Amino acid sequence: MGGATAATYEWLCEKFSDDTDETWLCAAFVRDLSPREALRRIHVTPGSLSESGQGVAAYAASGGTVLIEYGWARTIYDKAHLLSVGTAAASVFMTINNDGFTYCVDRRQITTFSLYAYSLRKGSDPDRLHADVEDLGVDIDGDQIDFSDDPVCSALALAERATGVHLSSARFAGPALIGSTDHIYPYR
């Protein structure tokens, strides 16, 4: 237990929040992979975002890579199992319509849950991150009337704790490998 807190990633949530304070973010933390290898595993070729602006940016981070998706296809969330081959990956997404956290180790989904319904978690070992979840102040039993003030920041901190990968604001401001995802989930 210990390490990243919700405050650790407030800066990232702010970058992906709109004028109404709605957060639209999809991020994946992958232990011990280079940005190039992380993109390869999800079938994204480094180049540029598509004309539609849809794609993935891969940032070299302490302990591995952090992927940020531009667009709302959930590519890096849905492919966390591919990212985790031989390692560990945790992914978080939040849109106005949906949210989630998933943690995979060597293709196995260890735990997955809605950011607002931890009590409904599932996976092969759904309680593995329980101590960290509790330490981060997530509503464990689903009895709280009010949701956590910042479930996305808490989930990002949990992803760091689970994988040991940390993305600083300085690394995020630096160069990233980027590639389009239009070929994976073509938009209509």
Side-chain angles (χ1 to χ4, degrees):
M1 223 169 31
T5 66
T8 304
Y9 288 101
E10 285 177 356
W11 63 270
L12 186 58
C13 288
E14 286 173 13
K15 290 195 178 294
F16 288 89
S17 294
D18 63 19
D19 295 345
T20 63
D21 289 331
E22 292 290 337
T23 302
W24 295 74
L25 174 65
C26 190
F29 293 59
V30 190
R31 182 184 310 143
D32 296 333
L33 283 191
S34 69
R36 186 168 301 282
E37 176 61 15
L39 289 179
R40 187 195 68 73
R41 287 187 181 194
I42 60 171
H43 310 290
V44 172
T45 303
S48 62
L49 297 177
S50 68
E51 287 181 26
S52 67
Q54 310 298 314
V56 175
Y59 296 88
S62 176
T65 294
V66 173
L67 303 166
I68 303 289
E69 187 160 354
Y70 292 88
W72 313 118
R74 292 182 9 176
T75 303
I76 58 179
Y77 184 83
D78 293 341
K79 295 183 181 246
H81 66 288
L82 295 176
L83 290 166
S84 75
V85 173
T87 190
S91 190
V92 176
F93 84 97
M94 171 64 86
T95 68
I96 197 165
N97 296 323
N98 212 340
D99 60 84
F101 176 93
T102 193
Y103 174 59
C104 299
V105 174
D106 201 18
R107 284 188 169 251
R108 276 190 19 246
Q109 185 179 69
I110 303 302
T111 188
T112 187
F113 54 88
S114 164
L115 303 185
Y116 297 107
Y118 177 74
S119 62
L120 301 176
R121 66 199 171 277
K122 53 188 171 181
S124 64
D125 186 3
D127 295 328
R128 184 177 298 184
L129 304 177
H130 189 79
D132 284 311
V133 168
E134 195 169 52
D135 187 52
L136 287 164
V138 174
D139 179 7
I140 300 293
D141 301 317
D143 318 358
Q144 295 177 5
I145 294 171
D146 296 323
F147 295 132
S148 165
D149 286 339
D150 207 338
V152 179
C153 289
S154 293
L156 292 168
L158 182 61
E160 176 178 320
R161 288 182 182 195
T163 62
V165 177
H166 172 73
L167 179 65
S168 67
S169 58
R171 291 264 178 117
F172 180 77
L177 277 181
I178 57 174
S180 171
T181 54
D182 281 355
H183 64 287
I184 299 171
Y185 299 112
Y187 293 89
R188 297 167 204 203

